[in-house]
Amino acid sequence: MKKLIIFDLDDTLIDTSDVVFKAFNDVLENKKLKPISKETYEHIKFWSGDSEKALKEVGVANQTREEFLKEYDPFFSKATEQYIKAGKMCLFNAVFDTLTRLKENALSLAIVTNSPHETTISKMCVFNLLPFFDIILTPQHLKNVKPHPEGIFKAMEKAKANAAETLVVGDSRHDLWAARNAAVECVLITSDAEKGKLADYWAKDFNEFSNIIRLFV
């Protein structure tokens, strides 16, 4: 039986794929580089593959992932606010009902995200998600972000839960690696079968996840 469920936010609970793509291209344009197509963006796998190789493929040389993300975060925050104001961001299907059911079963719910704190809270407020979560951890609260397990360990400490009582839910390899590094089971919600099969549990979308979660409540 699980006591704590730790969720990623972007592209797990909230569909932010277009925002992330726009912010990535905004950084390229700021560097006087040509924006890339969605097809190229998906091909280079910046978020789930070799980030520095991906950057070289789009013309960004001699920059680490961490250095690039320092430039990226302000553009992501700006794009997030633009999409929120335009009503172009949405929750995935079944998110609200599933979170409601989990809270009714007295589970502790946490958010551990690599996204900036201010935009995290803005998104959660827009979709009325704050009341569901006892714990929210962003880079503002952590020295190390995912795939480092620090956020998972902190959430477990706050919830007084051990590894066997904890489940991580995300959409990326960084979520999976963070869970592995903390010796915690992981559900990946992704349409990518190659990635999904690496996890302890794989759901193609949140509707499927809502069925998997019945195993733990």
Side-chain angles (χ1 to χ4, degrees), residues 9 24 37 40 50 54 58 61 110 116 138 140 174 177 188 204 213:
L9 184 64
F24 190 92
S37 67
T40 298
D50 185 334
V58 298
T138 70
Q140 178 176 310
H174 280 138
W177 293 334
L188 281 187
K204 294 176 184 175
I213 205 65

Side-chain angles (χ1 to χ4, degrees), residues 34-213:
K34 184 180 178 181
I36 60 175
S37 67
K38 194 70 173 282
E39 182 180 8
T40 298
Y41 173 74
E42 292 173 353
H43 170 74
I44 63 172
K45 297 184 182 298
F46 172 79
W47 300 103
S48 60
D50 185 334
S51 299
E52 291 176 26
K53 179 183 176 183
L55 290 175
K56 288 177 183 177
E57 287 187 43
V58 298
V60 180
N62 302 318
Q63 190 168 35
T64 66
R65 174 191 173 93
E66 289 72 24
E67 290 168 343
F68 183 85
L69 289 178
K70 284 181 181 178
E71 292 185 54
Y72 167 88
D73 280 348
F75 286 102
F76 177 73
S77 296
K78 183 178 178 181
T80 296
E81 296 304 322
Q82 289 172 343
Y83 272 64
I84 286 173
K85 288 178 181 178
K88 292 182 178 179
M89 202 178 293
C90 64
L91 283 179
F92 286 112
N93 289 337
V95 166
F96 210 85
D97 289 345
T98 302
L99 294 178
T100 299
R101 188 164 76 248
L102 293 175
K103 290 303 288 185
E104 287 173 348
N105 281 274
L107 275 80
S108 292
L109 303 184
I111 291 287
V112 176
T113 176
N114 288 359
S115 291
H117 184 77
E118 186 175 333
T119 55
T120 294
I121 298 302
S122 293
K123 285 177 285 190
M124 294 182 73
C125 285
V126 165
F127 297 108
N128 198 28
L129 294 178
L130 287 175
F132 290 109
F133 291 93
D134 311 294
I135 301 159
I136 299 170
L137 296 173
T138 70
Q140 178 176 310
H141 309 99
L142 305 169
K143 292 181 179 178
N144 303 286
V145 297
K146 295 179 289 186
H148 195 282
E150 180 186 347
I152 295 174
F153 287 140
K154 278 201 171 184
M156 289 165 57
E157 181 182 1
K158 288 176 177 291
K160 296 181 171 55
N162 61 37
E165 296 169 327
T166 303
L167 182 71
V168 170
V169 182
D171 69 293
S172 74
R173 282 182 170 87
H174 280 138
D175 297 309
L176 174 60
W177 293 334
R180 288 278 188 272
N181 290 335
V184 168
E185 287 187 313
C186 178
V187 180
L188 281 187
I189 304 175
T190 175
S191 58
D192 183 340
E194 181 181 353
K195 181 170 61 174
K197 290 176 181 177
L198 297 173
D200 300 289
Y201 305 92
W202 170 38
K204 294 176 184 175
D205 54 34
F206 215 89
N207 284 311
E208 280 195 12
F209 170 72
S210 67
N211 292 323
I212 289 174
I213 205 65

